[in-house]
């Protein structure tokens, strides 16, 4: 049978979680902390006044925003896999869309890996997921390529509510496709008729970049996900058997194609949307750093100018595309607002930790690039907000931290806030952000009791964030290249470190044969003066994206000292120093035995 409604799925909760110790508690301050986790697809930090998110801003007002949070790899499935396992891509062996970590890690490690929702489930929580949390399909264990999966039955207490969307406008779920025991969203007959009348349902081979149908919100995935999550919150608030809860909501937009109601598009009249300031590749940029705009160019009616040697979307089309992106952000934000309204109605803020994060950044023409799949700031920097019952009362609500943090930090943060750290896997590679949620005058573990500036607190927490991205010899990484859980021979892996004022990246040859690899290209970009950091960090400051990383300074003798320090810092980072030693420094007898942690001062890390 199909489980398509919130009621059908939620009544399965009445007997409690399907595994782990049974637990139910009244909704009081003494009860275990609940968790609401909102994951947004392809959302970059708000880097323009034209990208307002008033409902996400409500969450920011109650919590702490992180202006310099970074994904570990800028593409959907690998990033989500990394964040939800607390492990970097080189631990999960998931660098591309398609492979499933419980397979790629080997049977023993794969099956023993405990995901973030799974940990809560095994400790008595009722865990439910809706929309796109894990990447759907084979990437999360389904027998189908693009539907189902969700890491069931490991991570969730009841059948997962799948809800994605095909490019032709129809929803994507095992229920909508009529698969046996399918679950998830299904568009009503009225919605299908409306979407068809509006031209929003097209031929299966069509790939429109955007559509603005005059149809109700619940005709599209984010509206359907919001409706389901609102019902889950109501059920949890009124049924002891559903508490404590871990509710995950995965918003589809602003992923291509940008389907959103016409009311969202009405906010962006023609000519109102500005373009990126730097719409060509950075001077001196290695070819590996450019992703060929494959995702965008694959959409219908995208005119390209390749006279520069790069497939650049023509300027007149960019106005339209940026308008469509902003409109889909508006729709997503409205859907998030419905979820937050339910938190208000049921009085859940005093007992719930709420975290919102994006799976990676997004280019809207910066560096001539569209979409994700890069190591640039636009591709790797993500929105991250954490609100707790305490941040609303300890003076931290509405503040911004400029600490260099990673999506890996979400897992240890949530288990820490829920007092489950002793139950967490010992191999998590992130750190709890709890010290950055405490009172600025005395953050726990960062010199408690000693008044410090925001910048001092941020720098005491971390000095670097790391990301990576792979290119094959054909400069792509896709199922068409035959990638099943590993990088092809001769793949180029771009390894990037972001510090307070710099980004440094090396492209390494033969990632699958590290003893024989070698650095092929280097990139060095200045972020001196970047307003996302400093004494008054600005969350999503526009100039952080548009005014930096347009000139590669690697090899410039004026910056040789900085490049040398960052080179050492990269080698001391999470990938380990040994293979860099073999690759580049054996002839010099140089080695880098230092093991860097997020708290290692940069002066120590670089031997200054």
């Amino acid at each position: 049978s199909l489980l398509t409604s919130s009621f059908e799925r939620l009544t399965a909760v009445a007997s409690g979680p399907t595994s782990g110790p049974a637990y139910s508690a009244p909704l009081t301050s003494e009860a275990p902390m609940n968790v609401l986790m909102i994951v947004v697809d392809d959302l970059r930090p708000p880097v323009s006044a034209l990208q307002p998110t008033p409902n996400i801003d409500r969450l920011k007002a109650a919590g702490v925003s992180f202006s310099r949070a970074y994904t570990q790899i800028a593409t959907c499935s690998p990033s989500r896999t990394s964040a939800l396992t607390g492990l970097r891509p080189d631990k999960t062996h998931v660098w591309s869309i398609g492979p499933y970590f419980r397979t790629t890690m080997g049977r023993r490690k794969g099956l023993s890996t405990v995901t973030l929702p799974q940990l809560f489930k095994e400790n008595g929580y009722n865990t439910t997921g809706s929309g796109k949390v894990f990447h759907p399909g084979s990437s999360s264990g389904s027998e189908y390529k693009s539907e189902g999966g969700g890491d069931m039955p490991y991570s969730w207490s009841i059948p997962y509510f799948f809800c994605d969307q095909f490019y032709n406008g129809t929803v994507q779920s095992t229920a909508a496709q009529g698969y046996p025991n399918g679950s998830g969203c299904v568009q009503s007959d009225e919605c299908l008729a409306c979407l068809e009348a509006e031209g929003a349902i097209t031929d299966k081979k069509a790939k429109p970049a955007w559509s603005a149908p005059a149809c109700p919100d619940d005709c599209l995935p984010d509206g359907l996900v919001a409706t389901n999550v609102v019902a889950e919150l109501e059920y949890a608030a009124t049924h002891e058997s559903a508490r404590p809860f871990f509710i995950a909501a995965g918003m589809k937009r602003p992923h291509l194609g940008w389907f959103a109601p016409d009311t969202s598009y009405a906010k962006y009249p023609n000519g109102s949307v500005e373009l990126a300031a730097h719409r060509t590749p950075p001077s001196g940029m290695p070819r590996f750093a450019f992703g060929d705009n494959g995702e965008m160019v694959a959409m219908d009616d995208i005119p390209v100018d390749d006279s520069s040697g790069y497939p650049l979307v023509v300027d007149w089309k960019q106005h339209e595309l940026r308008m469509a992106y902003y409109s889909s952000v508006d729709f997503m934000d409205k859907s998030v607002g419905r979820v937050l309204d339910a938190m208000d109605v049921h009085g859940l803020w005093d007992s719930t930790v709420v975290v919102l994060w994006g799976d990676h950044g997004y280019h809207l023409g910066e560096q001539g690039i569209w979409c994700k799949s890069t190591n640039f700031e636009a591709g790797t920097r993500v929105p991250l907000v954490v609100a707790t019952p305490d941040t609303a009362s300890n003076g931290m609500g509405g503040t911004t931290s400029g600490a260099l943090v990673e999506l890996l930090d979400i897992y240890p943060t949530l288990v820490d806030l829920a007092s489950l750290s002793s139950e967490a896997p010992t191999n998590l590679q992130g750190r709890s952000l709890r010290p950055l949620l405490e009172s600025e005058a005395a953050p726990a573990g960062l010199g408690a009791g000693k008044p410090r500036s925001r910048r001092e607190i941020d720098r005491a927490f971390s000095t670097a964030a790391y990301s990576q991205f792979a290119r094959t010899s054909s400069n792509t990484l896709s199922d068409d290249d035959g990638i099943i859980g590993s990088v092809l021979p001769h793949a180029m892996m771009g390894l990037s470190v972001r510090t307070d004022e710099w980004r440094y990246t090396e492209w390494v040859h033969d990632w699958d044969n590290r003893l024989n690899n070698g650095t092929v290209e280097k990139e060095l970009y200045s972020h001196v003066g970047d307003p996302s950091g400093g004494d008054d960090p600005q969350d999503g400051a526009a100039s952080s994206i548009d005014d930096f990383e347009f000139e590669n300074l690697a090899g410039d003798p004026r910056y040789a000292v900085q490049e040398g320090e960052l080179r050492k810092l990269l080698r001391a980072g999470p990938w380990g120093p040994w293979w860099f030693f073999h690759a580049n420094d054996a002839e010099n007898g140089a080695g880098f035995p230092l093991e860097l942690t997020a708290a290692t001062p940069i002066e120590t890390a670089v031997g200054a």
Side-chain angles (χ1 to χ4, degrees), residues 94-105:
V94 176
W95 299 279
S96 62
I97 295 173
Y100 178 37
F101 70 93
R102 295 196 189 276
T103 301
T104 60
M105 294 177 71

Side-chain angles (χ1 to χ4, degrees), residues 33-34 62 348-354 387-394 417:
M33 193 65 64
N34 300 307
L348 293 169
W349 290 101
D350 289 340
S351 59
T352 306
V353 173
V354 184
T388 74
D390 287 339
T391 57
S393 59
N394 67 2
L417 294 171

Side-chain angles (χ1 to χ4, degrees), residues 196-236:
E196 187 169 358
E198 291 288 310
I201 290 183
T202 60
D203 181 88
K204 287 187 176 181
K205 294 183 179 180
K207 296 184 72 174
W210 62 275
S211 181
C215 298
D217 290 2
D218 277 12
C219 292
L220 299 171
D222 283 8
L224 290 163
V225 169
T227 295
N228 193 70
V229 174
V230 167
E232 290 181 337
L233 288 169
E234 179 181 2
Y235 194 93

Side-chain angles (χ1 to χ4, degrees), residues 466-601:
Y466 295 88
S467 304
Q468 65 186 109
F469 201 82
R471 311 268 189 222
T472 67
S473 55
S474 62
N475 204 29
T476 61
L477 193 64
S478 68
D479 291 340
D480 294 336
D481 293 315
I483 295 172
I484 306 296
S486 64
V487 175
L488 285 177
H490 312 301
M492 295 291 181
M493 186 67 76
L495 306 175
S496 191
V497 58
R498 174 67 154 89
T499 65
D500 193 38
E501 295 185 326
W502 298 90
R503 175 177 296 282
Y504 179 70
T505 303
E506 291 193 9
W507 291 90
V508 181
H509 185 60
D510 266 2
W511 185 245
D512 59 326
N513 186 19
R514 302 182 194 184
L515 284 176
N516 296 317
N517 63 13
T519 295
V520 176
E521 299 281 1
K522 302 175 183 179
E523 298 174 83
L524 175 65
Y525 301 103
S526 171
H527 278 266
V528 175
D530 189 331
S532 65
D535 294 326
D536 182 24
Q538 303 299 306
D539 183 28
S543 57
S544 296
I545 298 294
D546 233 1
D547 289 351
F548 295 89
E549 298 190 358
F550 58 86
E551 181 183 8
N552 182 12
L553 302 174
D556 188 324
R558 293 175 298 173
Y559 305 101
V561 172
Q562 291 89 341
E563 182 175 342
E565 291 179 346
L566 289 161
R567 183 170 181 263
K568 292 180 180 179
L569 184 61
L570 188 67
R571 283 155 173 72
W575 298 286
W578 62 271
W579 60 272
F580 274 114
F581 169 80
H582 285 285
N584 298 310
D585 297 290
E587 71 277 10
N588 299 323
F592 301 93
L594 176 69
E595 288 294 329
L596 179 73
T597 67
T600 304

Side-chain angles (χ1 to χ4, degrees), residues 152-480:
M152 284 292 296
Y154 303 98
S155 289
W156 311 106
S157 303
I158 63 174
Y160 190 90
F161 187 81
F162 298 103
C163 196
D164 208 311
Q165 186 172 21
F166 292 110
Y167 287 112
N168 74 338
T170 58
V171 293
Q172 179 180 344
S173 74
T174 52
Q177 272 60 68
Y179 295 142
N181 300 314
S183 65
C185 64
V186 175
Q187 288 158 317
S188 67
D189 291 341
E190 293 79 8
C191 277
L192 292 172
C194 181
L195 292 169
E196 187 169 358
E198 291 288 310
I201 290 183
T202 60
D203 181 88
K204 287 187 176 181
K205 294 183 179 180
K207 296 184 72 174
W210 62 275
S211 181
C215 298
D217 290 2
D218 277 12
C219 292
L220 299 171
D222 283 8
L224 290 163
V225 169
T227 295
N228 193 70
V229 174
V230 167
E232 290 181 337
L233 288 169
E234 179 181 2
Y235 194 93
T238 56
H239 292 74
E240 289 186 11
S241 60
R243 299 194 300 269
F245 65 76
F246 182 107
I247 294 176
M251 297 298 173
K252 172 67 174 180
R253 302 294 170 239
H255 190 290
L256 279 167
W258 293 314
F259 285 68
D262 62 334
T263 51
S264 289
Y265 275 86
K267 297 180 180 181
Y268 298 95
N270 288 338
S272 66
V273 179
E274 85 291 351
L275 299 186
H278 300 97
R279 300 187 297 281
T280 57
S283 60
M285 180 197 76
R287 178 75 194 200
F288 302 118
F290 193 91
D292 280 350
N293 284 335
E295 184 177 1
M296 177 57 74
V297 173
M299 306 305 289
D300 296 340
D301 303 319
I302 304 297
V304 170
D305 178 359
D306 58 5
S307 60
S308 66
Y310 293 93
L312 305 180
V313 177
V314 299
D315 279 0
W316 66 263
K317 187 68 173 181
Q318 293 192 41
H319 286 283
E320 174 188 315
L321 295 175
R322 286 169 76 97
M323 171 202 70
Y325 180 88
Y326 295 151
S327 298
S328 67
V329 169
D330 179 83
F331 176 47
M332 174 277 301
D333 182 71
K334 179 181 178 183
S335 302
V336 169
R338 292 173 57 195
V339 174
L340 300 184
D341 288 345
M343 291 283 293
D344 293 338
V345 168
H346 300 296
L348 293 169
W349 290 101
D350 289 340
S351 59
T352 306
V353 173
V354 184
V355 58
L356 181 146
W357 53 279
D359 55 353
H360 44 69
Y362 207 79
H363 291 258
L364 291 177
E366 294 87 5
Q367 289 101 2
I369 299 171
W370 284 83
C371 306
K372 53 264 191 182
S373 305
T374 77
N375 278 325
F376 287 112
E377 189 80 358
T380 58
R381 189 149 63 87
V382 301
L384 175 61
V385 186
V386 181
T388 74
D390 287 339
T391 57
S393 59
N394 67 2
M396 294 300 291
T399 65
T400 298
S401 169
L404 294 157
V405 302
E406 302 174 310
L407 289 183
L408 285 171
D409 299 329
I410 293 171
Y411 192 148
T413 299
L414 291 181
V415 298
D416 186 6
L417 294 171
S419 301
L420 293 175
S421 294
S422 62
E423 305 298 323
T426 58
N427 63 339
L428 296 181
Q429 294 183 285
R431 301 175 64 211
S432 174
L433 300 176
R434 188 168 191 164
L436 300 174
L437 306 175
E438 307 286 349
S439 169
E440 291 195 21
L446 297 178
K450 177 184 177 182
R452 309 175 76 169
S453 70
R454 175 80 262 175
R455 183 176 178 85
E456 287 176 326
I457 294 170
D458 292 341
R459 284 182 61 84
F461 183 82
S462 61
T463 55
Y466 295 88
S467 304
Q468 65 186 109
F469 201 82
R471 311 268 189 222
T472 67
S473 55
S474 62
N475 204 29
T476 61
L477 193 64
S478 68
D479 291 340
D480 294 336

Side-chain angles (χ1 to χ4, degrees), residues 80-81 84 101 115 117 131-136 140 150-151 155-156 160:
R80 292 163 184 264
T81 296
L84 293 169
F101 70 93
T115 69
K132 188 175 180 181
V133 180
F134 285 96
H135 196 281
S140 55
D151 196 46
S155 289
W156 311 106
Y160 190 90

